[in-house]
Amino acid sequence: MLGIKSKSAPKLKDFKLPDYLLDDAFALRRNMANSSIPKSQSDAHYHADRRILRLKTLIVGLAVVLLALYSLCMSFDGAGVGNVRFYAPWDAIHSLVTWAAASVSRALGLGWFPDVDMIELAPLYPQVVPRAGMTLATLLCGGLLACAGMLYQVVFRNPIASPSLLGVTNGVKVGLLMVFMDFGLQAQNMLAERFIYAYTAGIVTLVAVFVLSKLITKRKSSISVFDMLVIGTIASAFLSAVSKYMLSILSTVDMWILFFEYQEALTIYMQPLTYAVLAASVIVSFVPVFLMRFHLNLLSFGDGEARVMGANPRLLRVLSIAAGSLMILTAQVFVGPASSFALVIPFLARGFFGSEFRQQLLGNALLGMAILLVCRNLCILIPFAGIGIPIGTLAGVVTLPVFIWATLFSKKAWS
C-alpha cells in the first residue's frame, strides 16, 4: 500500500500551513509547562509580526529610494571630497526625464523637441545620465550580491558560506584580466569583449566544478555538497594564483592601476548593451528564484521530508547554486569584486526580516541595494590611485562590524 501513489494526494502548490505555524518564532512561544499557547493568541502574534515586517519593509524601501535620489544628485571629476558636486534633486530629475523623453522622441520620430540642443533642454544630462545608470546598476547588483549569498547559505546549510567558495568570483577576475592583457588600453572601449570574457570565464568555472564534483562523488545519481565545496575551494585557490600572476605581469608595465579602474566598470554606463546584459542577467538569475520561493523553504528540511511534500531537493540545490553563481558573476562584472558583502548581508537580513525564505529574499534584496549604494556613494570620496577606493574593498570594511555583531550577539541571524 505504501508503494501505491494516490491520485488524490495533494500537490505541493495545494499544501498550505495554517497562519499560526508560518511564524518562525512560534516554536519559542511556549510556557514553562512546555505546552503550546492557544491558537487564537498565536494568530494574534502572527498578524502582529506581519505588521512589523511590513513596516520594516517600508522603512528599508524608503531608505533605498532616498539613497538613490541622493546618488543621482552627485557628480565628480575625480576622487576626493573636493571633486564632488551636488545638484538640486528637482534639477537632476528634470534633466533626466527631459533627456529620456527626447531620446524616445528621436528614436520613434515623434518630433517632440525639434531642432533644440539637448544642453539647452537638460543642462545636467551629461552628468546625471551616467550617474543614473551607475545608480541603477549598483542597486541591482547590491540585491543580486545579497541574494546570491543567501542562496549559498541555504543550499549548503552553512551561515558562513560565500559565493566565492566555488571559484566563480576569481574566474570572472581572470576573464577581465584576459581582456585587459589582450587589448591593453583599448579594453576600456570594448564593452562586448568585457561581457564575453567575464561571463565565459565565470560559467566555465562553475560548469567545471559541477562536472568534477559529479565525477568524484560516490553516488551516481546526485552531486555531493561536500565534494562540490572541496572542488570549488581548489578551483578558487588556483584561479586566485592565476589572477595574481597576471596582475604581477601588469605591474611590470605600470598598467595595474588602469586595470583597477577597468574592473570598477566606471565607463560603461552610456552604452545600451550594458543595460541589455544587466536586464537579461537579472531575469535569468533572480526570476527563477522568485518563482521557486515557496519550494526553496523545503531545503531547510531533510531530503526525505522535502520529497514527501512533492519537491526534488537535488534539483532545487542545482538550480539555486546556478542562479546564485550567475548573480555573483553579474555583480562582479558591473561593480567589481565584493564577495565579502554577499557573505555578511544575509546575516543582517535574517536577523531583521526573519528566516522564512520569502522574507529573506525580499529583505536581502532591499538591504543589499541600500548598503551597496551607500558604499558606492562613499567610495568616490576616498582617493585611491585617482579613481576612488574600490567599492568591493569599502563594502568589506563597512560590513565587517555587521558580521561581528551578527556572529556575537544576534542569535536569530544564525537560525
Side-chain angles (χ1 to χ4, degrees):
M1 294 297 292
L2 294 177
I4 299 176
K5 295 184 178 179
S6 174
K7 293 183 179 180
S8 61
K11 297 181 180 179
L12 180 62
K13 65 180 181 180
D14 301 322
F15 179 77
K16 185 178 185 299
L17 290 172
D19 287 346
Y20 65 92
L21 287 180
L22 289 174
D23 185 3
D24 62 359
F26 177 74
L28 301 178
R29 298 186 183 129
R30 297 176 181 274
N31 56 25
M32 295 302 294
N34 196 30
S35 59
S36 301
I37 62 177
K39 178 182 180 299
S40 58
Q41 187 178 350
S42 184
D43 283 339
H45 280 294
Y46 168 75
H47 292 296
D49 287 347
R50 299 302 296 178
R51 288 193 294 271
I52 293 173
L53 177 64
R54 285 193 291 268
L55 179 61
K56 290 178 179 179
T57 304
L58 179 62
I59 292 173
V60 179
L62 181 61
V64 170
V65 173
L66 294 177
L67 287 168
L69 181 60
Y70 177 80
S71 178
L72 183 65
C73 298
M74 292 180 66
S75 179
F76 51 88
D77 298 320
V81 177
N83 294 317
V84 178
R85 301 186 304 276
F86 293 93
Y87 305 114
W90 46 87
D91 292 336
I93 294 175
H94 175 267
S95 293
L96 182 62
V97 172
T98 304
W99 170 84
S103 300
V104 171
S105 174
R106 188 164 50 249
L108 301 179
L110 300 177
W112 289 346
F113 305 97
D115 302 326
V116 178
D117 188 5
M118 184 61 68
I119 290 293
E120 296 180 6
L121 289 174
L124 299 180
Y125 96 90
Q127 294 80 28
V128 172
V129 173
R131 189 66 189 175
M134 182 181 295
T135 300
L136 175 62
T138 304
L139 285 172
L140 293 177
C141 291
L144 292 178
L145 279 168
C147 291
M150 177 197 66
L151 286 172
Y152 270 67
Q153 292 174 14
V154 168
V155 169
F156 293 113
R157 297 185 182 181
N158 187 339
I160 59 173
S162 168
S164 62
L165 287 174
L166 300 187
V168 175
T169 55
N170 286 324
V172 174
K173 187 173 183 178
V174 169
L176 294 175
L177 280 164
M178 289 175 64
V179 180
F180 205 73
M181 295 185 72
D182 286 348
F183 302 103
L185 297 179
Q186 297 180 0
Q188 299 282 3
N189 302 317
M190 303 178 73
L191 190 59
E193 286 76 5
R194 174 191 183 93
F195 293 135
I196 292 172
Y197 276 63
Y199 274 86
T200 300
I203 292 172
V204 167
T205 301
L206 180 63
V207 171
V209 170
F210 268 110
V211 171
L212 291 175
S213 301
K214 181 66 176 178
L215 290 176
I216 69 171
T217 188
K218 295 180 179 179
R219 293 176 292 176
K220 301 297 182 181
S221 59
S222 65
I223 298 176
S224 168
V225 172
F226 176 78
D227 291 339
M228 187 181 297
L229 285 174
V230 171
I231 296 296
T233 302
I234 295 172
S236 182
F238 172 75
L239 292 172
S240 176
V242 171
S243 65
K244 289 178 180 178
Y245 173 74
M246 298 172 77
L247 278 173
S248 68
I249 295 176
L250 289 178
S251 66
T252 61
V253 292
D254 296 329
M255 291 182 63
W256 68 276
I257 293 179
L258 296 176
F259 172 74
F260 280 109
E261 182 177 358
Y262 175 74
Q263 187 176 223
E264 290 292 293
L266 298 177
T267 60
I268 67 174
Y269 297 109
M270 290 294 287
Q271 301 296 327
L273 180 61
T274 296
Y275 303 101
V277 171
L278 183 58
S281 299
V282 171
I283 292 172
V284 173
S285 62
F286 184 81
V287 171
V289 174
F290 178 78
L291 295 176
M292 295 188 301
R293 63 192 184 281
F294 297 102
H295 296 69
L296 290 174
N297 266 322
L298 299 179
L299 292 180
S300 300
F301 299 95
D303 286 3
E305 291 86 350
R307 292 191 192 94
V308 166
M309 287 184 271
N312 184 340
R314 296 170 183 171
L315 180 60
L316 288 177
R317 289 193 189 98
V318 171
L319 293 177
S320 298
I321 292 174
S325 298
L326 183 57
M327 289 177 184
I328 195 75
L329 192 163
T330 299
Q332 185 160 341
V333 169
F334 283 92
V335 300
S339 57
S340 60
F341 182 91
L343 169 65
V344 175
I345 297 303
F347 275 88
L348 186 59
R350 278 195 296 274
F352 196 65
F353 287 93
S355 57
E356 200 272 331
F357 187 86
R358 291 171 296 170
Q359 299 175 12
Q360 284 194 66
L361 186 64
L362 176 62
N364 274 280
L366 290 176
L367 286 175
M369 288 180 179
I371 296 177
L372 193 66
L373 194 54
V374 169
C375 295
R376 171 64 80 187
N377 293 337
L378 288 176
C379 66
I380 197 62
L381 303 177
I382 306 173
F384 177 81
I387 63 167
I389 190 170
I391 188 172
T393 302
L394 186 61
V397 174
V398 169
T399 54
L400 180 60
V402 177
F403 182 76
I404 295 174
W405 168 81
T407 53
L408 293 181
F409 303 108
S410 180
K411 301 299 183 183
K412 190 175 182 180
W414 288 88
S415 57

